[in-house]
Amino acid sequence: MKIKGDKMKNEEIKIKKPIWDGVSNKNKSVIVLMSGGLDSSVLTYKLAMEYPKVLAIGFDYGQKNKNELEAAKKICKDFGIEYRILDATFIEKLSKNNYMFNVGTDIDIKNKNFIVPFRNGFFIEMAAIMAYNENYQYIALGALLEEQVIADKNKTFLLQLQKTINTGIGDNFNIKIITPFIDELITKYRLFRVAKKYGILEYLDKNIVTCYDGAVGILGCKKCGRCKALKFQYDYFLFKEGELNA
């Protein structure tokens, strides 16, 4: 399962489309926040097997790696999932001089220029309005167990936001914000195992965009902090699977 380099990158990898099991969550529907990265792509595949109706949405919030939206569009098409892009460019206007928006900007740990405050909060609120208008019962976020330290991915925050949304919309609206990977204690390392189980790991390496500089694949650009951190987790996965240096 180890990534095989440029030759693998240039090959078209076919995957089996996810099919609802016909039993789980009957008559239920879910909106999944889909960025085109690893976490949300695996979650979208998972939900398509567990829900009869799945809608994936992405956000143009002024990010410099615009190709993540194209990546998400292709992945959803290959999964057989409807995908829409919502305009959230107001977020960029509220987050000037940020690493995520400016090409050539380096991460500044001290000044936290890589953080967009409440970004997921905005995304979920926009998804909730769509859910209200189109009668979806759930909004799914691909947050992982270790991301409980992130303010707008924390379960306590999400429960509070869920209550606020339902109260604010009224009309007996009762959206539920779900985080399946947190509930199932899935970490980044374990997420690779989930992708392998689904048979989509090699496919994702060819198509996802996780790097904020827009590099494609699990290893991304291999230079920025985000890609180095992901490589560390991937190498650990290979080690645990007995494939590292095999």
Side-chain angles (χ1 to χ4, degrees):
M1 189 58 63
K2 188 186 295 186
I3 298 171
K4 298 182 174 65
D6 293 338
K7 182 178 180 181
M8 178 64 72
K9 294 286 187 179
N10 294 328
E11 294 176 356
E12 184 67 27
I13 300 175
K14 295 182 179 180
I15 60 169
K16 182 179 180 181
K17 290 184 178 181
I19 300 175
W20 176 52
D21 62 19
V23 178
S24 303
N25 300 299
K26 194 171 183 179
N27 299 320
K28 299 294 184 180
S29 55
V30 58
I31 294 177
V32 55
L33 307 191
M34 171 54 160
S35 70
L38 178 66
D39 308 350
S40 61
S41 295
V42 178
L43 179 59
T44 299
Y45 195 95
K46 171 183 172 64
L47 294 173
M49 295 188 294
E50 299 176 352
Y51 286 81
K53 185 178 180 181
V54 179
L55 170 64
I57 60 174
F59 301 88
D60 179 354
Y61 61 98
Q63 64 270 47
K64 60 186 177 182
N65 58 330
K66 294 287 188 183
N67 62 327
E68 73 172 10
L69 298 173
E70 290 302 314
K73 180 179 179 180
K74 182 184 186 305
I75 291 168
C76 287
K77 180 180 178 181
D78 291 343
F79 287 0
I81 301 297
E82 181 183 359
Y83 176 70
R84 303 182 202 169
I85 298 174
L86 303 185
D87 185 348
T89 49
F90 69 89
I91 292 177
E92 179 186 10
K93 298 174 183 178
L94 297 174
S95 305
K96 296 295 185 181
N97 302 318
N98 195 283
Y99 168 74
M100 293 184 184
F101 304 113
N102 300 302
V103 176
T105 301
D106 294 326
I107 289 180
D108 184 342
I109 299 296
K110 181 179 179 179
N111 294 312
K112 299 181 179 180
N113 72 333
F114 54 92
I115 295 176
V116 180
F118 202 70
R119 179 178 55 161
N120 286 303
F122 286 130
F123 292 167
I124 291 168
E125 288 177 340
M126 294 174 72
I129 295 172
M130 180 176 286
Y132 173 77
N133 289 330
E134 301 186 28
N135 195 31
Y136 283 84
Q137 290 82 39
Y138 300 96
I139 297 172
L141 181 68
L144 301 174
L145 183 62
E146 63 265 35
E147 293 178 321
Q148 284 289 276
V149 298
I150 300 175
D152 62 355
K153 289 187 177 181
N154 182 274
K155 287 286 284 187
T156 299
F157 162 75
L158 294 174
L159 287 172
Q160 292 174 341
L161 182 61
Q162 174 181 293
K163 182 178 180 180
T164 298
I165 288 171
N166 288 330
T167 301
I169 291 180
D171 197 25
N172 295 317
F173 189 59
N174 188 31
I175 194 68
K176 291 181 174 60
I177 301 170
I178 60 173
T179 53
F181 292 150
I182 292 177
D183 297 341
E184 296 173 17
L185 306 181
I186 299 296
T187 60
K188 186 73 76 173
Y189 147 64
R190 290 173 179 165
L191 187 65
F192 286 119
R193 299 184 73 179
V194 174
K196 180 179 179 180
K197 180 183 73 172
Y198 292 158
I200 60 174
L201 185 56
E202 291 182 358
Y203 166 84
L204 293 178
D205 179 51
K206 181 177 173 61
N207 291 284
I208 62 170
V209 174
T210 295
C211 175
Y212 286 136
D213 287 323
V216 177
I218 290 173
L219 301 185
C221 69
K222 304 179 183 179
K223 299 177 182 179
C224 72
R226 185 177 177 86
C227 290
K228 287 180 179 179
L230 188 58
K231 183 180 185 302
F232 177 83
Q233 294 288 343
Y234 183 71
D235 285 345
Y236 181 65
F237 159 74
L238 291 178
F239 172 76
K240 295 291 285 187
E241 296 293 307
E243 297 184 29
L244 187 63
N245 299 322

